[in-house]
Amino acid sequence: MKRAKGVEHDVRRKSPGVARVRRAAGAAVGQRDPAPLSGRALDYEGRIADLQHKIRELDESRATLSSQLRALATREELIEHIHHGWVEIFDAIVDPIFMHDRQGRILRANRAYADMAGMDIRQVIGRPYWQVFPLHDGPLSNCTPTLSEHRERTEEDIVLETGQTYRCRFFTLRDPAGGYLASLHIMTDVTESRNMERSLKQERDFTTAVMHTLGALVVVLDHEGRIIQFNHACETVTGYSFTEVEGKMLWDILLLPEEMDSVRTVFNNLRSGMFPNEHENYWRTRDGGRRLIRWSNTALTGENGVVQYVLATGIDITEQHAMEQALRDSEARFRAMIENSSDITVLLDCDGTVRYTSPSIGRVLGYGDDELVGQDVFTLIHPDDLPRVKDALARAVENPGVAQHIEHRFKDRDGVWRHLESVGKYFLDETPVSGVIVNARDITARKLAEDKMRAADESLRKLNRALKTLSACNESLVHAMHEQELLAAICQVIVHTGGYRFAWVGYAEHDARKTVRPMAFAGEEAGFLDALRFSWADDEFGRNPIGEAVRTGIRQGIHNIEQTSAALLPREEALRRGFISCTALPLRDGDRVMGVLAIYASEADAFDEEEVKLLMELADDLTYGIVALRNQAEREYAMEENRQNAARMQKALLETVEAIGSALEKRDPYTAGHQRQVAKLAHAIAQEMHLPQEAVEGIYMGSLIHDVGKIYVPAEILSRPGKLSEAEFNLIKVHPQVGYDIIKGIEFPWPVAKMILQHHERLNGSGYPQGLKGDEISQEARILAVADVVEAMASHRPYRPGLGLDKALEEISQNRGILYDPQAVDICLRLFGEKGFSFE
């Protein structure tokens, strides 16, 4: 106010307006007609009052300006304070954060970043960040695309040489116009989370949720609880962008209704100076979900100590909380599994003393819960297995954490030896256990099953051998063309595919001695069949598996020749060639036994029940093949006779046709020659059409007698020159019907009668005698019609000279598809134009 008064005084002292008033007053005194003194005084006082009013207005404006300047200074102090607060926030973030320009030079970094680099904050500014932290040979892989491709944000995992893993998030900072300002990197140490994920994945997959670390959540609230900052981690966790939540009350958008009061209490405590503090609460997400956050809270105060902002840094522990619960559930499950499992869990000292047994030991071995505690476990191990068990326990102690597997016998409470499969692992001073934990399973039933399985495997091996033999023999059955070839092939397959030592086929003869005659063999025969005589008679030569099989029609065999009577094979001849067991399979065709298939093996009991079934099937297939080949030979003989009969019949038909043609030729030589030429051309057209050979032959035969009906037309009409009358032409037009009536009673294998009837029909229905159209006319008749027209027009007749081949071909070409079959016309034109066809 003093300054204001001084200004006012100075203005009044130096005001040019006052001086002008005074000069005006002095001048007025010296005027010729001065106004009355009182009037002039009033005028001066009014002007002075106006000036004083303006001076007061100016003073008020200057006072207002001074007040605004003081407010501006206060705001600058507040902005500086806020900036200082943000710097503290920036440095309070535990994740390393830094900003850089386009060249990668660091513009700003927080303390966490400088600490990670092992430098003072002032040393990192201005240096390329890859020379500071993380050390690299250039920009990070996602940094350059963020600049070059105008990405606003991206992220990647970075693994340091120390093994630490950082999640680096890249942000592009832009000015309001969209221009590039700087790149921001936020690095979150996710090493522990990644390690936890890997370790949890190894824990028997009790949980399928994988921990996803999204970095620290940072939210800043004003003193009323409105959101004024909301970092990327918050956006990622909640699904809300900062724009959507900015300026809104925290509890109106992110809190669960049931937690609102507790969070307000924490917030009020912060405002009242009770900070820092920690708490946990859920946040609602945009999609209706919820995330559990563990918060570390503090407050930023002004110079007067009043809380202005609340800073909350949080970690999303939703997955961690779920995993902890899963671990608790897993522990409970394991406890329940151990207590209720059929497997036995035992804790041993290093010397084999029992310290704990699970309740399942009673169900499996009959012992009470603590009956074996304190005993030496080795006293219950089978003596034959004891060295291996002691060795396994020693290996477990020497290699802590490495599982040792062993199978052994263990005495149950009734003194019965039970087979156990045990897995032991030594835990070295680990809580809550320390010692060798053994999980044992009773595999007595499995051992018995394995013994049965081995027997079954041997049976399966034999069965597979028989199956392979059967399959290969069936293939031989398919490909064999002759009976002897089949017998030899079957014996070869039995030996070389089936792996049997010797096989042979014998046929039962009906001679006086009832001989079994060898027909084919393969394998280690070495004169076996020559040295012995086989018979199916009930005598010394037939009382063996071979003779019995033929005589009875039932499969015979010897399990072990060494233990068999010498008279049966004889035994010595078989053993000398390595035959230890054999089977003889009768070849039965209905009730008749044709012969025998004999198979020998080099081991005892080589032919079990299932294998014998397949081999009997093989014998039946062989019998079928023999019978089939014999039947086929008979069929082929019969077919050959049929072919000869068919040839004789076709020759007879041809002779019949030729006889008909000869009869017509004697009456009308021109017609007979015409028919032979037409037959030649029609035959060629049919062949070019690739019709079946039988159809081609039928067309040729029909063409040879297609005008046989003209035998009904008087010879003088056929040979008379000049134009025929309508009555005469109508008489000629009946020759297709007459020819049909003559031929229809002859049983040709081709549609000859129909060809004769339709060879003057035309596609458009203008032909005769029936006026047929299109496909109503048989293909044979359509071919015959083209050949008939061409030959008739090209050749001379008694009643007119020949028009020539060109005119004939022109006729069928112009009426192609109208009167004549298009395909037959095209082939006919090609025969004359390209193939060199000509009439005789």
Side-chain angles (χ1 to χ4, degrees), residues 598-829:
I599 304 174
Y600 300 80
S602 57
E603 70 270 10
D605 299 313
F607 304 95
D608 62 18
E609 183 178 352
E610 294 300 323
E611 185 176 14
V612 166
K613 287 181 180 178
L614 291 175
L615 292 176
M616 290 176 65
E617 183 179 344
L618 186 153
D620 291 341
D621 290 344
L622 176 58
T623 305
Y624 172 82
I626 294 170
V627 173
L629 286 173
R630 291 178 179 179
N631 292 337
Q632 181 179 350
E634 294 176 359
R635 284 196 303 272
E636 289 177 353
Y637 177 78
M639 289 174 63
E640 180 60 27
E641 286 211 341
N642 289 335
R643 281 194 295 270
Q644 293 177 3
N645 292 334
R648 287 193 292 269
M649 182 179 294
Q650 185 171 357
K651 181 181 178 182
L653 288 173
L654 179 60
E655 290 173 351
T656 301
V657 170
E658 289 176 346
I660 295 172
S662 297
L664 184 61
E665 182 178 1
K666 291 178 181 179
R667 188 170 183 272
D668 182 8
Y670 289 101
T671 299
H674 165 71
Q675 289 185 135
R676 286 194 298 270
Q677 298 284 28
V678 170
K680 179 182 178 183
L681 178 56
H683 182 270
I685 293 173
Q687 283 186 319
E688 286 293 312
M689 280 185 172
H690 303 292
L691 297 180
Q693 188 60 32
E694 183 179 353
V696 173
E697 292 175 1
I699 290 172
Y700 179 74
M701 290 292 186
S703 300
L704 281 175
I705 56 173
H706 72 277
D707 278 339
V708 68
K710 287 183 179 180
I711 200 170
Y712 172 78
V713 181
E716 57 270 18
I717 295 177
L718 293 174
S719 59
R720 182 168 61 80
K723 186 175 182 180
L724 299 175
S725 67
E726 183 178 354
E728 292 172 332
F729 184 65
N730 287 336
L731 186 61
I732 289 178
K733 288 172 64 176
V734 300
H735 80 274
Q737 183 66 50
V738 173
Y740 174 79
D741 292 338
I742 294 172
I743 299 300
K744 69 180 180 180
I746 302 175
E747 293 185 3
F748 287 104
W750 318 285
V752 173
K754 184 183 290 187
M755 291 168 57
I756 293 172
L757 179 64
Q758 297 179 352
H759 76 276
H760 276 290
E761 300 287 355
R762 298 296 181 257
L763 296 181
N764 62 359
S766 63
Y768 62 86
Q770 296 175 301
L772 302 179
K773 295 181 179 180
D775 291 339
E776 294 176 347
I777 308 169
S778 68
Q779 185 180 35
E780 293 87 349
R782 296 200 302 268
I783 294 172
L784 175 57
V786 172
D788 183 40
V789 168
V790 171
E791 200 284 331
M793 291 183 66
S795 301
H796 294 287
R797 290 290 181 270
Y799 48 85
R800 61 154 175 82
L803 300 178
L805 181 62
D806 291 341
K807 283 291 185 180
L809 297 180
E810 181 181 350
E811 160 66 17
I812 64 173
S813 178
Q814 288 180 349
N815 289 289
R816 177 186 180 275
I818 302 172
L819 302 178
Y820 312 114
D821 183 82
Q823 186 180 11
V825 170
D826 293 341
I827 291 176
C828 182
L829 294 174

Side-chain angles (χ1 to χ4, degrees), residues 414-563:
D414 296 329
V416 178
W417 292 109
R418 310 287 294 179
H419 289 269
L420 299 183
E421 179 183 56
S422 299
V423 179
K425 185 184 294 186
Y426 179 47
F427 291 86
L428 184 61
D429 297 330
E430 293 186 5
T431 303
V433 296
S434 176
V436 179
I437 294 181
V438 179
N439 289 312
R441 175 174 298 176
D442 184 1
I443 59 170
T444 305
R446 191 186 80 187
K447 281 294 186 179
L448 295 176
E450 286 175 355
D451 293 339
K452 292 182 180 179
M453 184 67 71
R454 279 190 292 270
D457 287 344
E458 178 62 20
S459 177
L460 182 61
R461 182 188 67 81
K462 295 178 180 179
L463 189 61
N464 285 335
R465 178 174 67 176
L467 281 172
K468 287 168 55 180
T469 305
L470 178 61
S471 176
C473 286
N474 286 335
E475 187 174 352
S476 298
L477 286 170
V478 172
H479 292 94
M481 302 299 295
H482 304 287
E483 183 175 337
Q484 189 59 42
E485 176 189 352
L486 172 62
L487 299 178
I490 293 296
C491 291
Q492 291 289 333
V493 166
I494 291 172
V495 171
H496 297 294
T497 300
Y500 300 97
R501 190 166 183 82
F502 177 55
W504 68 283
V505 176
Y507 280 176
E509 301 288 349
H510 292 274
D511 56 1
R513 296 194 298 178
K514 296 185 178 181
T515 304
V516 177
R517 180 164 56 93
M519 299 298 297
F521 68 88
E524 301 294 332
E525 192 267 346
F528 182 71
L529 299 177
D530 294 332
L532 301 175
R533 171 188 158 194
F534 291 98
S535 169
W536 56 279
D538 189 10
D539 56 22
E540 59 178 320
F541 300 105
R543 295 190 188 104
N544 56 58
I546 306 301
E548 293 287 347
V550 176
R551 190 165 55 253
T552 63
I554 299 173
R555 198 273 307 182
Q556 304 294 324
I558 300 176
H559 293 288
N560 193 329
I561 295 174
E562 293 178 324
Q563 302 172 2

Side-chain angles (χ1 to χ4, degrees), residues 307-329:
V307 172
Q308 295 181 324
Y309 305 102
V310 169
L311 169 65
T313 302
I315 299 175
D316 185 353
I317 61 170
T318 307
E319 282 76 17
Q320 177 183 344
H321 182 268
M323 284 187 289
E324 289 173 353
Q325 183 60 44
L327 287 174
R328 288 191 292 270
D329 294 343

Side-chain angles (χ1 to χ4, degrees), residues 85-157:
W86 276 110
V87 169
E88 288 185 0
I89 294 170
F90 191 64
D91 284 337
I93 296 174
V94 297
D95 293 333
I97 302 175
F98 65 94
M99 291 187 297
H100 65 77
D101 59 13
R102 287 185 180 275
Q103 288 71 40
R105 294 187 295 262
I106 297 174
L107 303 175
R108 180 75 176 91
N110 68 349
R111 290 195 185 97
Y113 180 76
D115 291 343
M116 289 301 301
M119 299 181 183
D120 187 86
I121 192 68
R122 291 168 295 184
Q123 293 177 303
V124 304
I125 302 301
R127 296 182 62 177
Y129 70 82
W130 53 86
Q131 296 178 3
V132 180
F133 178 79
L135 296 177
H136 206 257
D137 55 0
L140 296 174
S141 59
N142 274 331
C143 184
T144 302
T146 304
L147 294 174
S148 61
E149 300 175 10
H150 302 291
R151 298 182 187 174
E152 296 303 319
R153 54 189 265 184
T154 185
E155 56 185 56
E156 66 174 303
D157 276 0

